[in-house]
Amino acid sequence: RPAAPPQARPAAAGAPARPARPPAPSGGLRVPLKGVRGAVADKLSRSRREIPDATCWVDADATEFLRARTAMNAAGGPKISLIALLARVCTAALARFPELNSTVDTEAGEVVQLDRVHLGFAAQTERGLVVPVVRDAHARDAESLAAEFARLTEAARTGTLTPAELTGGTFTLNNYGVFGVDGSTPIINHPEAAMLGVGRIIPKPWVHEGDLAVRQVVELALTFDHRVCDGGTAGGFLRYVADCVEHPAVLLRTL
């Protein structure tokens, strides 16, 4: 006698039926998430899953900051880039607010404050976004920072960055103003705890010394891991950065 055909096992009572996966859309251009693009996608996805981030921002009058850079470059010697001066501001701010130069050890349940600043910066290349790292940025002056930014930017452009130059960052500076963007809420570069975003510097009406004037204004934004500090610390860091941009003498007192 032939065996009876197997009977489908009834679904467990109360168990929801698994929805069928919708068919993949047809047509269009498919771009594989591999190589640099895939690595960036994985890292950003992990950051979104694991880091409870928040963002605060402030507008700052950068007129005197730009004048100070112009005066420095007019004095001769190597040219100082804007991002190098902003990096110097970052390291001075991190010295005052070290909570933001941290990482979270989730297994130990600890926030680890780091004693060295390895400063990453976002660089757009034909291969995608990369974040080269300036080692020991806290120990460099503006000229040294400018030279290292230039070297790493050229290596990013030519695709010759080494793995060591793309890892180990403790804080990231994202100058998206070069793309004509005023503001952003960037995703933190895991496993770091914060990122400073700098928008474009453009002339805007501004109250200066009691009078309405046209000044060079920039939007600064800090995205931070809310596990490492509260809004008071993040706001203090961002306000200090803005003070240095508005009054470069504030930065000079810390050098």
Side-chain angles (χ1 to χ4, degrees):
R1 180 179 180 182
Q7 299 295 317
R9 178 177 296 179
R18 179 177 297 178
R21 177 178 296 180
S26 61
L29 175 65
R30 288 176 175 261
V31 179
L33 282 175
K34 63 181 182 179
V36 172
R37 186 181 295 272
V40 170
D42 288 343
K43 197 165 191 179
L44 296 181
S45 296
R46 184 177 182 186
S47 179
R48 268 288 182 253
R49 287 194 305 268
E50 297 183 9
I51 298 178
D53 59 348
T55 301
C56 53
W57 59 89
V58 64
D59 286 342
D61 179 358
T63 306
E64 298 305 323
F65 193 71
L66 295 179
R67 286 176 179 168
R69 175 177 174 249
T70 299
M72 292 172 68
N73 288 337
K79 298 299 182 183
I80 307 300
S81 59
L82 182 62
I83 194 170
L85 283 184
L86 291 169
R88 191 64 194 87
V89 171
C90 279
T91 58
L94 290 171
R96 288 181 170 243
F97 300 92
E99 298 93 335
L100 292 165
N101 193 55
S102 300
T103 189
V104 175
D105 185 338
T106 53
E107 291 187 2
E110 296 174 339
V111 174
V112 183
Q113 288 189 21
L114 305 168
D115 55 3
R116 300 165 70 183
V117 178
H118 301 316
L119 187 68
F121 67 99
Q124 191 70 40
T125 72
E126 292 181 355
R127 301 168 184 83
L129 180 71
V130 295
V131 184
V133 177
V134 177
R135 303 284 168 183
D136 295 316
H138 62 288
R140 296 175 181 266
D141 60 15
E143 288 187 4
S144 174
L145 286 167
E148 188 66 354
F149 274 115
R151 184 188 73 80
L152 291 170
T153 299
E154 177 62 17
R157 187 187 67 81
T158 57
T160 58
L161 287 167
T162 66
E165 291 169 334
L166 287 167
T167 56
T170 65
F171 185 93
T172 296
L173 173 61
N174 188 356
N175 183 21
Y176 41 72
V178 298
F179 302 116
V181 175
D182 293 336
S184 175
T185 54
I187 299 175
I188 295 173
N189 190 22
H190 188 281
E192 298 170 18
M195 177 184 292
L196 178 68
V198 182
R200 61 177 179 162
I201 302 175
I202 56 174
K204 286 185 177 182
W206 190 266
V207 177
H208 176 65
E209 297 180 350
D211 294 320
L212 186 63
V214 176
R215 306 285 286 181
Q216 300 296 321
V217 178
V218 62
E219 181 178 292
L220 305 168
L222 179 72
T223 298
F224 63 100
D225 185 337
H226 224 313
R227 296 173 297 178
V228 306
C229 69
D230 56 23
T233 298
F237 174 95
L238 189 59
R239 186 64 255 171
Y240 178 79
V241 170
D243 287 345
C244 289
V245 168
E246 293 187 338
H247 309 286
V250 172
L251 176 62
L252 293 175
R253 285 199 297 267
T254 68
L255 300 179

